[in-house]
Amino acid sequence: MDILIGLQTANEVILVTSRAISRGVSVLKHDDNKVVKLNSYTAMAYSGEPGDVSNFAEYIQANVALYGLRHGIEMTPNSVAAFTRSELARSLRTRKPYQVNLLIGGFHPREAKPMLAWVDYLGSKVDLPYAAHGYAAYYITATLDRYWKKGLTLEQGLKLAAQCVSELQTRMPIDFKGCDVHIVGKSGIQSADLPPIVVAPGVANKPSEATLASA
Amino acid sequence: MPIEHSFNPYGDSSGGSTLAIAGKDFAILAGDTRHSTGYSIDSRNESQIHSVGDGLLVSPNGFSADARAFVDDVHNDIIWYHHKHNKKLAISSCARSIMHTLYRRRFFPYYVSPILVGIEPDGTGAVYSFDPVGSYEREASRAAGHASELLVPFLDNQVRKANQVDPETGKPLAQHDLDLETALQLVKDAFAGAAERRIQVGDWLEIAVVTKDGHKVERYPLRRD
Amino acid sequence: MSNPSEINGGAAVAMVGKDCVAIASDLRLGLQSVGISGDFEKIFEYNGVYLALTGLATDVQTLSIDFRKKHSLYELREERRMEPQTMANLVSSTLYSKRFGPYFVGPLVAGLNSSTSKPYICSFDSIGCIEHANDFVVVGTASDQLYGICESLYEPNLEPEDLFETISQALMSAVDRDALSGWGGVVYIIEKDKVTKRYLKTRQD
């Protein structure tokens, strides 16, 4: 039930991940970080089988770092996504495949363009303007279909992300202990906070006039 | 090892496919006459089109034992309606009656996908189609049976004009009432295609045309392999 | 979920016309019933030879790259273009090399012979059995629907523009009756010295 959301704005990519680690009915951790920094301009959010996720994330992180050291130039976010995809596709036909779903957010420093790749455990990769994995996708793709548009400012993007998280807080059956936000843009990877959502009193999660006006 | 006994009340003997199109003042019900069980052809000449009285035609397409019982039920219902009410059964009422016939057996259904065609009291041609437990709908066209997946997109395209635009204006083509000649040609083309790709469909194509003056059936050859 | 060929969805069709061939596919990529992307192109070009790959998306991506490598090495070694027939044999042997752990794809090859300009189309099963045809071939989750409508709409020796209309109508009507295919389409009309690529606007459900 981990939450992974990614959305592109005009100049950056926002990655939103839930903080909880839960096993069955218990919450084991409430400040987990599900985003790994792969290089200066590429971050990867992951979810899936416990154990597999951290092992796979470390493996990718190490190989991307190794490439950077060997060649003296960092992999582009697209190359990172393609490499990650091929590793998952290879793993799929082994005795024990990695069961890891990913969102790879990056920024092309030369082309000054953000990119977001959706990758599932089978090794299917799609470049998307906005994406989500797992149960979160069922709840928020409609919100993103409706309110996402090309060329959002960072502020609008964060507001939309907050709207999605607020929707999840209303509808998800367990408390996911809030979300971490990472922004990948021209100044690299940064953490951020979601802006507070003004919820109309008495109506669970009704979008505020301000949110509607800005979208 | 324990010995197990079981009885499956449903068999897999069935007719090929059926297809119906409603026109402005006519309705067409067509079906092939092949009857098969698995890879064996039981009959090359088993009609799927049944006249049940009051100018109504029914095709029961599905498991043939149930299909026969179902047609008898519909036929009897119409006879009893005449005894009780001394008047013709309207097609919309017949459709509702079929719904009850099918839903009565909700937990041991007739394994059939029936189509009912006839003329409405207002003179328009009508096609009613059903699922095995009685959900039904009046439609412009319908296909059932082994080749329904093959026939339906063609009907969408040629009867409902789905995805077609007027080359002059670029606007979507509206569904307009087909004339009988065009409709008959569509039916023949559709079945020729279905017989080409589905082994359960073939031998003969029976086309029944219903008008206010009654119905007549014509036969055309299909592939026999 | 149990059938890998039906997780992501998708369909493709190719047709022969008069001195031309057409190849078309939908644009959907989904996870079961949920649509993920509406610009997942399944047709790949290899120097004038066109290959459609439907089925499991990860295998579609893996194979399209694998064929890119094999095709490039062939042209570098042989110093000539790869014919559609050769491409078909390459696809077949590549798929059969995974006979007991197959790639879950339904491929289609279409092209014109580089010297004779003769149209060539064929389809494959997931382990590389080639199926030749001189009219049309179909693959994907909407293959039944495509068979039905192609059998009725297709006629031989169509001019390029008429072939475009025929293949587009066939594709659109077929994918509209398949929940796993659709979300737009793409059509290539391949003539002797011209290739036209057009996108189709279709129902979005």
Side-chain angles (χ1 to χ4, degrees):
Chain A
M1 290 234 194
D2 292 347
I3 293 159
L4 300 186
I5 308 169
L7 63 109
Q8 284 192 43
T9 56
N11 300 310
E12 45 283 292
V13 175
I14 302 169
L15 292 176
V16 181
T17 52
S18 57
R19 292 197 185 107
I21 292 182
S22 34
R23 296 279 171 284
V25 292
S26 316
V27 174
L28 304 185
K29 197 167 187 239
H30 59 271
D31 57 353
D32 185 43
N33 174 239
K34 297 181 179 69
V35 174
V36 67
K37 186 182 161 183
L38 298 181
N39 60 31
S40 313
Y41 292 103
T42 316
M44 179 170 83
Y46 51 84
S47 74
E49 179 80 11
D52 280 14
V53 278
S54 43
N55 188 255
F56 184 77
E58 272 180 35
Y59 172 72
I60 295 298
Q61 192 181 30
N63 274 102
V64 171
L66 178 63
Y67 182 99
L69 291 170
R70 274 187 177 163
H71 296 85
I73 185 169
E74 288 190 339
M75 285 170 93
T76 63
N78 281 314
S79 313
V80 172
F83 169 69
T84 311
R85 187 212 85 80
S86 70
E87 285 305 312
L88 282 172
R90 196 170 58 80
S91 150
L92 187 69
R93 298 197 190 270
T94 60
R95 201 176 50 78
K96 188 170 181 292
Y98 282 115
Q99 299 208 359
V100 187
N101 296 316
L102 310 164
L103 290 177
I104 297 172
F107 184 82
H108 277 270
R110 257 178 302 129
E111 296 162 39
K113 268 202 309 223
M115 69 78 79
L116 172 67
W118 176 99
V119 184
D120 71 3
Y121 74 98
L122 299 165
S124 317
K125 176 177 92 68
V126 209
D127 291 336
L128 292 170
Y130 51 88
H133 270 298
Y135 288 103
Y138 292 105
Y139 294 116
I140 60 149
T141 28
T143 306
L144 289 166
D145 283 341
R146 175 67 183 79
Y147 294 111
W148 187 90
K149 62 182 182 195
K150 224 178 152 119
L152 289 176
T153 64
L154 178 58
E155 193 191 0
Q156 287 171 323
L158 287 169
K159 227 179 225 178
L160 181 52
Q163 186 66 48
C164 291
V165 173
S166 158
E167 176 74 23
L168 292 167
Q169 259 153 357
T170 327
R171 299 291 175 191
M172 288 287 271
I174 56 149
D175 181 6
F176 51 84
K177 304 292 172 195
C179 284
D180 281 338
V181 180
H182 292 262
I183 299 164
V184 190
K186 66 173 188 295
S187 45
I189 303 160
Q190 277 140 352
S191 321
D193 288 319
L194 287 176
I197 283 281
V198 186
V199 178
V203 182
N205 200 36
K206 188 185 171 212
S208 70
E209 290 306 315
T211 314
L212 291 173
S214 69
Chain B
M1 204 60 175
I3 298 169
E4 282 185 42
H5 295 283
S6 71
F7 169 65
N8 180 198
Y10 296 114
D12 62 350
S13 67
S14 63
S17 252
T18 52
L19 186 164
I21 297 176
K24 199 166 179 238
D25 54 358
F26 66 89
I28 296 175
L29 181 58
D32 65 319
T33 64
R34 175 169 295 182
H35 194 280
S36 59
T37 306
Y39 290 126
S40 322
I41 296 171
D42 307 323
S43 170
R44 298 187 188 276
N45 201 193
E46 183 84 352
S47 178
Q48 300 197 74
I49 299 170
H50 302 269
S51 171
V52 288
D54 290 349
L56 303 173
L57 298 181
V58 166
S59 68
N61 192 278
F63 171 46
S64 54
D66 283 358
R68 284 187 166 214
F70 167 75
V71 172
D72 287 348
D73 279 3
V74 176
H75 192 89
N76 281 324
D77 287 344
I78 292 179
I79 290 170
W80 278 103
Y81 185 87
H82 291 164
H83 287 317
K84 283 186 207 163
H85 304 287
N86 195 221
K87 62 174 182 182
K88 268 181 76 171
L89 180 61
I91 185 168
S92 57
S93 307
C94 184
R96 180 57 65 93
S97 161
I98 288 175
M99 182 200 97
H100 288 302
T101 299
L102 293 167
Y103 197 80
R104 259 184 60 215
R105 302 172 60 90
R106 173 63 179 78
F107 298 107
F108 184 22
Y110 283 141
Y111 210 69
V112 289
S113 316
I115 301 175
L116 170 72
V117 309
I119 304 291
E120 294 277 3
D122 68 3
T124 58
V127 168
Y128 287 85
S129 66
F130 303 79
D131 81 349
V133 288
S135 294
Y136 76 107
E137 187 181 10
R138 188 185 167 184
E139 292 176 291
S141 65
R142 163 61 59 177
H146 283 118
S148 60
E149 294 95 334
L150 286 74
L151 297 168
V152 163
F154 180 62
L155 294 176
D156 286 344
N157 190 238
Q158 296 293 311
V159 179
R160 198 158 55 78
K161 306 282 177 197
N163 296 309
Q164 293 203 53
V165 293
D166 186 331
E168 306 281 307
T169 63
K171 292 223 175 75
L173 276 189
Q175 176 183 334
H176 61 89
D177 287 309
L178 295 165
D179 58 80
L180 181 57
E181 204 180 325
T182 316
L184 284 172
Q185 196 54 51
L186 285 181
V187 173
K188 289 175 204 168
D189 288 350
F191 266 94
E196 203 71 37
R197 296 287 175 178
R198 274 285 131 95
I199 57 167
Q200 295 92 342
V201 177
D203 295 322
W204 294 94
L205 170 61
E206 276 192 336
I207 308 180
V209 180
V210 193
T211 59
K212 64 179 188 334
D213 305 317
H215 72 274
K216 66 174 202 293
V217 182
E218 286 182 357
R219 286 164 71 95
Y220 301 90
L222 288 172
R223 291 179 74 101
R224 283 165 60 81
D225 59 358
Chain C
M1 192 65 191
S2 55
N3 182 357
S5 314
E6 292 174 7
I7 294 173
N8 303 119
V13 52
M15 284 179 176
V16 173
K18 189 170 190 294
D19 305 320
C20 59
V21 288
I23 184 166
S25 83
D26 70 333
L27 292 175
R28 183 179 181 273
L29 176 133
L31 263 185
Q32 336 262 53
S33 58
V34 184
I36 302 290
S37 175
D39 61 0
F40 189 76
E41 299 206 16
K42 298 166 187 75
I43 299 177
F44 305 92
E45 190 250 4
Y46 302 98
N47 198 10
V49 182
Y50 288 78
L51 171 71
L53 286 164
T54 61
L56 191 67
T58 183
D59 288 348
V60 168
Q61 293 180 320
T62 304
L63 280 173
S64 67
I65 295 168
D66 192 30
F67 288 134
R68 174 86 56 222
K69 183 184 79 181
K70 285 173 168 166
H71 177 270
S72 300
L73 285 171
Y74 176 96
E75 294 205 335
L76 285 166
R77 190 169 54 237
E78 301 276 327
E79 295 183 337
R80 62 191 172 98
R81 293 175 70 155
M82 186 186 270
E83 300 300 337
Q85 285 89 337
T86 318
M87 187 67 187
N89 285 313
L90 175 64
V91 171
S92 177
S93 58
T94 303
L95 292 180
Y96 195 79
S97 73
K98 293 278 187 287
R99 171 62 179 82
F100 297 107
Y103 291 115
F104 297 100
V105 287
L108 259 177
V109 165
L112 300 173
N113 186 286
S114 67
S115 48
T116 63
S117 296
K118 202 169 166 247
Y120 180 85
I121 55 166
C122 69
S123 66
F124 309 80
D125 66 8
S126 63
I127 52 169
C129 174
I130 306 181
E131 188 181 307
H132 294 285
N134 45 27
D135 45 11
F136 55 83
V137 282
V138 306
V139 287
T141 52
S143 61
D144 278 353
Q145 289 87 338
L146 279 166
Y147 271 129
I149 196 151
C150 289
E151 204 59 72
S152 305
L153 289 194
Y154 181 81
E155 50 187 290
N157 298 115
L158 287 168
E159 296 294 331
E161 275 308 301
D162 296 332
L163 187 68
F164 166 73
E165 199 59 33
T166 307
I167 199 169
S168 304
Q169 288 295 328
L171 182 80
M172 289 191 288
S173 299
V175 301
D176 284 354
R177 284 287 178 177
D178 178 25
L180 300 181
S181 307
W183 265 26
V186 61
V187 181
Y188 293 83
I189 305 292
I190 303 145
E191 296 165 73
K192 190 170 182 295
D193 35 33
K194 189 169 85 167
V195 177
T196 319
K197 180 184 185 182
R198 291 193 186 92
Y199 287 98
L200 301 176
K201 225 165 125 178
T202 73
R203 292 176 68 102
Q204 294 292 305
D205 60 359

